[in-house]
Amino acid sequence: MEFGLSLEQRQFDDSLRSFLKDRLPMDRLRALAEPGMGFDPSLWNGLAELGLHGLIVPERFGGAGLGILDAAVAAEALGNAAAPVPFAGSLVMAPLAFIDSATEAQQDEYLPGIASGEIRVAVAFSGFGGQTGTARASLEDGRLSGRITGVMDAASATHFLVYLPDGHAAVVAADATGVSTKVNRSIDRTRPMTDVTFDAAPAERLGAANAPLVAAQTVLDAGRVVLAADTMGAAQHMLDAAVAFAKERVQFGRVIGSFQGVKYMLSDCVTVLEPCRGMVWYAAHAQDAIQDEARLTACHTKAHLAEVARDVARITTEAHGGMGFTDLLGLHYWFKRIMFNRQVLGGPERCREEAAQLQGWTLHA
Amino acid sequence: MDLALSEEYQALQAEIRAFIATHGHKSPKVGGGRKRPDQKTLDWQKLLVEHGYAGRTIPQEYGGFGAKPDVMASAVIAGEFGRANVYAGLTNQGISMLVPTLLEVGTDEQKKAYVGPTIRGDIIWCQGYSEPGNGSDLANAQTKAELKDGFWVVNGQKIWTSSAHYADMMFLLCRTEPEKSKHEGLSYLLLSMNSPGLDRRPLKTMTGRSEFNEVFFTDVKVPETQIVLGRGKGWYVANVTLKHERLMIGDAGKMTARLEQLIKLLQKSEIDGVPLIRISEYRDRLLRLQGEVIAWKAHNLRLLTEAAQDVDSGVKRMIVKYGGTMLGFRLSSLAVDALGAAGLPYESAGEDAEDDDATTWNIDYMYDVGLMIGGGSNNIQKNIIGERGLDLPREPKVQGTVAIGRG
Ligand SMILES: Cc1cc2nc3c(=O)[nH]c(=O)nc-3n(C[C@H](O)[C@H](O)[C@H](O)COP(=O)(O)OP(=O)(O)OC[C@H]3O[C@@H](n4cnc5c(N)ncnc54)[C@H](O)[C@@H]3O)c2cc1C
């Protein structure tokens, strides 16, 4: 029994973190936040060199063939840096969907491009994504119609993968006729939300889904775990910043970290946040290897991280005093990253309700 | 990441299962631990020690099984006994705190005299640390012991002493070097609870039971050799003990079991014929707790792995008592709310009563508050997390004190 990251995973984490530290200093983050498109070609290409794009793509398609745990490690690092990268959608959920549900021909067509970073697929759910907004889509004779709002990781997408209410997914090119998109900058300036309308757009159904609803849930769950990992990284950043600040800031002739009031705020944060890291690892590992715990842990992890991180974000901002409330410090980028992750792919209430259904605890179960 | 047990531990697992299949029927009821173990419990404990499921790592010469320290083996044993709902052996302050302390700093004679009988349950210990005026500020203990004619003569008072009403022995923190500084003036003595001049008075707690006591000392004579490590070393020894106390409180296996009971309670308890688990407000609280328990279970796996690799877990370990007792209280809070008005008449009938489920929840709800105070209060835990874990500066010192406190 060994519950922890392998040496390779830790090395990958280190190199990703040092790359992001190098390439995404605060002024760069600020510059990218202005347009707020959640994408930067140079950052994206740089990450290709670290092997981020093909992380979970099988080796025969040019990827590394790793699992959701590896993706969670990467997501924590990305969240820690508030990196504007369409990771959860384009590099985790999309390739997973193609691995699980696409025909060989479709895999040949898409997976190598995903691994090289040229194809960026945004994943949209109609019916069971758990988000507020509009989400309807239908496929008839190879034509996709409908409207889905609030699609994440879509501003730079070359394709959309749209989950239909029956669990089947259809892939459509972003520049196909009948596809119109509106990218909205979001509160989280590191990731926008896209509204997309399909008007009889030519689309192709992924042709090898055996149990489509199960496959769709698998993709959704992976997305939820990866977003939870991102939240973990963002919350850890805020806590580290607050601890560092508390060791420097002087009031009443003392460093504020020596006041028990401040100390206890931060002790509370670490006490609730640290167990979340194990939870994220466990849920990610369950996606890879413990099938009968995969759904339950994904729902719970998405929900629990959202709740804990809300407290951590609030308390650590408070610990910075007036500075924390300013734009100057930039702490708010992480605060908002946590806000974003909470709402997309199902907020905590929704995720817990799904966990209840799974256990037969609801009226309609 | 590999959650499977290696062959070695699978073999251990199989061995334990075979043991439980053969002997499980002799196990006393799981739970309890507030009373002196009865004969059935003592016989079972003896069997566990013989097979290495209790006192596993205690050297054979001191009455143990003599296996090398192996947290993974301990976890496998705890897991198997838990799963089979079989009594996993005595846990008390003697076994969890004094024995490891003696093994670390005791003399050979002390180990020979006390370790074996303690792990078998023949000697029950209590912890004589807190005094009316000195709880968190444990190093300020004032109970005096003076050396006269080969005996320590003890005078003073201890309070909140758990199990003292049925204990045979006490490990005592007392002041032997009054002229020295606060921390250097203490010694650690081992004494019989039947010593003349020692008076124990059970102290009733909010649960309605008397779980702890006041202990008064009037010229109590303790042989000179009953000191551990030597004069003035008491603070050091007490901290060796406290290190083990912290590890004792806050255990994820117990949380999982409580969560499962809680789920059953919400399925059974009804308002106007509707089970509470079907009422979204109750259900959502349960789900939040389920999420928290999953997080702590994963955290425990992480600590276990690090311990097996001999890695110091630092702040990850320091948060366990504070986080664990808080979660424990939230679990019993929902239970009390699920019992609702129908649960209110269930009061403990005293420490010897066999409690039903409702009474047990009511007591747990209160006892969980006690756990936040005993063994180093939660504020003291937060001092430790902040100062040792996050490296935040200490409170400015009042002359001669250290504010971080016991625990
Ligand atoms: C169920 C239970 C079992 C116990 N069993 C034993 C036992 O077997 N043996 C034994 O010796 N003792 C035992 N105790 C006593 C226990 O160790 C003390 O109660 C505890 O250490 C707190 O000390 P105190 O009661 O004097 O409270 P105080 O130290 O007076 O604390 C009162 C409040 O002030 C806070 N406080 C104190 N100092 C600080 C500080 N520096 N920073 C911030 N806050 C502070 C505390 O957190 C607490 O909230 C037990 C207690 C309980 C509740």
Side-chain angles (χ1 to χ4, degrees):
Chain A
M1 210 277 318
E2 198 180 318
F3 183 80
L5 300 181
S6 67
L7 184 61
E8 293 76 23
Q9 282 162 338
R10 279 179 277 140
Q11 284 168 343
F12 172 63
D13 186 40
D14 284 346
S15 56
L16 184 54
R17 280 172 193 256
S18 65
F19 172 87
L20 290 166
K21 194 167 167 227
D22 215 39
R23 299 287 287 272
L24 203 59
M26 185 54 86
D27 54 347
R28 183 77 194 130
L29 182 61
R30 254 177 216 293
L32 291 168
E34 200 38 53
M37 288 300 100
F39 188 74
D40 170 30
S42 81
L43 190 64
W44 180 257
N45 294 332
L47 287 166
E49 283 155 39
L50 291 171
L52 194 72
H53 298 160
L55 201 63
I56 70 159
V57 173
E59 282 167 282
R60 66 178 193 283
F61 299 112
L66 297 172
I68 302 303
L69 180 58
D70 303 274
V73 171
E76 190 185 329
L78 292 166
N80 196 250
V85 177
F87 180 70
S90 302
L91 299 183
V92 182
M93 288 163 47
L96 191 63
F98 280 95
I99 294 166
D100 278 0
S101 306
T103 62
E104 268 181 54
Q106 288 169 330
Q107 291 181 340
D108 278 335
E109 192 182 339
Y110 288 94
L111 285 172
I114 290 175
S116 70
E118 286 149 49
I119 296 180
R120 288 185 294 278
V121 184
V123 179
F125 292 91
S126 64
F128 44 83
Q131 281 184 207
T132 57
T134 303
R136 39 183 176 75
S138 61
L139 183 70
E140 245 171 82
D141 304 327
R143 298 279 160 177
L144 184 69
S145 296
R147 176 170 166 77
I148 303 181
T149 59
V151 181
M152 68 163 176
D153 292 348
S156 65
T158 58
H159 296 76
F160 284 88
L161 184 71
V162 179
Y163 274 94
L164 304 160
D166 63 3
H168 280 291
V171 62
V172 52
D175 58 4
T177 49
V179 178
S180 51
T181 57
K182 180 167 180 290
V183 181
N184 300 309
R185 215 165 58 172
S186 86
I187 294 248
D188 171 12
R189 292 291 191 83
T190 67
R191 280 151 328 149
M193 299 291 262
T194 300
D195 298 341
V196 56
T197 307
F198 304 103
D199 185 7
E204 186 187 346
R205 209 172 79 161
L206 298 195
N210 289 328
L213 273 172
V214 175
Q217 290 290 3
T218 304
V219 169
L220 180 62
D221 290 343
R224 285 176 172 172
V225 172
V226 164
L227 288 177
D230 189 289
T231 294
M232 178 74 215
Q236 186 70 57
H237 172 89
M238 294 193 80
L239 178 55
D240 292 344
V243 170
F245 184 81
K247 288 177 188 169
E248 276 168 17
R249 172 75 174 168
V250 175
Q251 288 290 285
F252 300 96
R254 287 163 61 178
V255 174
I256 59 162
S258 70
F259 291 113
Q260 281 187 327
V262 174
K263 191 174 289 171
Y264 288 6
M265 289 161 84
L266 302 176
S267 300
D268 279 343
C269 287
V270 70
T271 301
V272 290
L273 185 59
E274 196 57 51
C276 288
R277 183 168 287 113
M279 184 184 207
V280 167
W281 291 351
Y282 191 90
H285 177 65
Q287 307 309 306
D288 293 329
I290 319 173
Q291 213 182 351
D292 55 349
E293 291 182 48
R295 286 237 62 212
L296 187 69
T297 54
C299 292
H300 269 310
T301 303
K302 176 74 164 59
H304 185 64
L305 267 288
E307 304 289 18
V308 168
R310 169 172 279 177
D311 287 341
V312 170
R314 191 261 301 164
I315 294 169
T316 54
T317 302
E318 232 183 299
H320 280 83
M323 264 329 261
F325 195 63
T326 64
D327 172 49
L328 273 172
L329 215 60
L331 197 66
H332 63 90
Y333 289 117
W334 285 267
F335 187 99
K336 294 165 183 171
R337 183 111 176 170
I338 289 167
M339 284 176 75
F340 181 101
N341 289 342
R342 181 181 175 103
Q343 308 303 346
V344 292
L345 302 188
E349 290 75 15
R350 161 73 183 217
C351 289
R352 284 194 294 267
E353 199 54 14
E354 284 184 35
Q357 279 165 16
L358 283 168
Q359 299 174 93
W361 294 349
T362 53
L363 275 177
H364 356 268
Chain B
M1 189 67 67
D2 177 11
L3 297 185
L5 292 176
S6 68
E7 266 171 42
E8 182 190 350
Y9 296 116
Q10 282 179 24
L12 176 62
Q13 203 172 39
E15 178 200 307
I16 301 164
R17 285 181 186 169
F19 171 85
I20 290 174
T22 315
H23 299 285
H25 64 280
K26 297 178 222 162
S27 161
K29 211 178 136 227
V30 176
R34 294 190 315 273
K35 291 174 237 169
R36 235 200 129 82
D38 57 14
Q39 195 54 47
K40 184 170 186 179
T41 307
L42 291 175
D43 292 344
W44 179 248
Q45 181 74 8
K46 214 169 138 225
L47 198 63
L48 294 184
V49 174
E50 276 163 21
H51 285 80
Y53 304 138
R56 183 175 180 82
T57 60
I58 311 289
Q60 276 172 355
E61 56 180 320
Y62 305 129
F65 183 73
K68 66 178 191 327
D70 182 344
V71 285
M72 204 60 77
S74 313
V76 170
I77 295 169
E80 286 307 309
F81 278 78
R83 199 159 310 143
N85 200 27
V86 165
Y87 190 73
L90 293 170
T91 47
N92 56 39
Q93 293 180 328
I95 292 174
S96 309
M97 296 162 67
L98 180 76
V99 165
T101 303
L102 282 186
L103 289 174
E104 202 168 317
V105 294
T107 63
D108 196 48
E109 274 143 38
Q110 287 166 344
K111 291 183 218 179
K112 286 217 166 91
Y114 297 123
V115 173
T118 303
I119 61 173
R120 286 194 298 273
D122 295 333
I123 298 183
I124 303 293
W125 292 82
C126 60
Q127 178 193 45
Y129 282 11
S130 306
E131 299 177 359
N134 308 288
S136 298
D137 189 7
L138 177 60
N140 201 41
Q142 298 298 330
T143 293
K144 260 201 290 299
E146 284 173 286
L147 194 58
K148 274 187 204 148
D149 309 324
F151 287 92
W152 293 105
V153 180
V154 184
N155 281 287
Q157 187 201 337
K158 295 288 168 181
I159 192 171
W160 311 304
T161 322
S162 299
S163 329
H165 46 304
Y166 60 79
D168 307 294
M169 299 280 298
M170 170 186 275
F171 46 100
L172 170 75
L173 191 64
C174 56
R175 193 153 298 278
T176 55
E177 329 293 310
E179 72 292 350
K180 290 215 174 135
S181 75
K182 178 171 157 179
H183 292 85
E184 284 160 6
L186 296 167
S187 293
Y188 191 101
L189 303 182
L190 309 175
L191 63 116
S192 164
M193 289 299 283
N194 296 315
S195 309
L198 186 151
D199 181 20
R200 35 186 155 175
R201 298 183 200 157
L203 190 57
K204 199 163 166 180
T205 76
M206 69 187 289
T207 66
R209 303 185 306 217
S210 300
E211 287 114 343
F212 53 35
N213 303 261
E214 292 176 288
V215 182
F216 298 86
F217 303 84
T218 316
D219 294 330
V220 173
K221 285 166 83 182
V222 180
E224 186 177 356
T225 51
Q226 290 294 87
I227 191 167
V228 180
L229 204 61
R231 296 182 74 136
K233 299 281 165 44
W235 182 243
Y236 176 80
V237 181
N239 275 292
V240 172
T241 308
L242 288 175
K243 180 176 77 186
H244 295 287
E245 178 175 43
R246 277 200 298 278
L247 300 185
M248 193 176 148
I249 304 173
D251 136 19
K254 216 177 273 163
M255 281 180 200
T256 312
R258 282 177 100 182
L259 179 74
E260 271 156 26
Q261 288 162 354
L262 188 54
I263 292 169
K264 288 199 189 108
L265 179 63
L266 266 79
Q267 285 165 332
K268 208 175 65 185
S269 213
E270 295 183 346
I271 294 178
D272 296 336
V274 182
L276 299 184
I277 200 144
R278 305 263 185 219
I279 300 174
S280 58
E281 288 77 6
Y282 290 94
R283 184 170 65 226
D284 199 57
R285 279 177 69 189
L286 176 67
L287 285 156
R288 278 176 177 250
L289 291 169
Q290 188 176 40
E292 288 190 61
V293 170
I294 294 173
W296 279 98
K297 269 166 72 179
H299 188 65
N300 237 43
L301 288 175
R302 212 173 153 206
L303 292 176
L304 177 61
T305 300
E306 292 186 352
Q309 293 167 346
D310 244 339
V311 173
D312 177 6
S313 295
V315 72
K316 285 175 244 138
R317 166 90 50 211
M318 296 172 199
I319 63 176
V320 168
K321 198 222 162 200
Y322 172 44
T325 55
M326 295 293 282
L327 176 53
F329 182 70
R330 283 195 293 276
L331 288 165
S332 49
S333 298
L334 179 55
V336 166
D337 295 348
L339 291 165
L344 292 174
Y346 290 84
E347 211 186 357
S348 172
E351 46 281 357
D352 296 326
E354 285 285 335
D355 293 326
D356 51 54
D357 290 351
T359 306
T360 302
W361 280 120
N362 280 340
I363 289 178
D364 279 352
Y365 175 70
M366 290 179 257
Y367 206 78
D368 284 342
V369 180
L371 288 178
M372 294 178 195
I373 301 166
S377 74
N378 278 358
N379 273 1
I380 298 301
Q381 302 304 318
K382 287 193 267 190
N383 290 345
I384 293 172
I385 296 165
E387 291 167 16
R388 297 190 197 148
L390 300 177
D391 199 26
L392 292 167
R394 295 190 164 201
E395 288 279 293
K397 275 191 193 177
V398 178
Q399 200 59 40
T401 72
V402 179
I404 198 164
R406 77 165 273 163

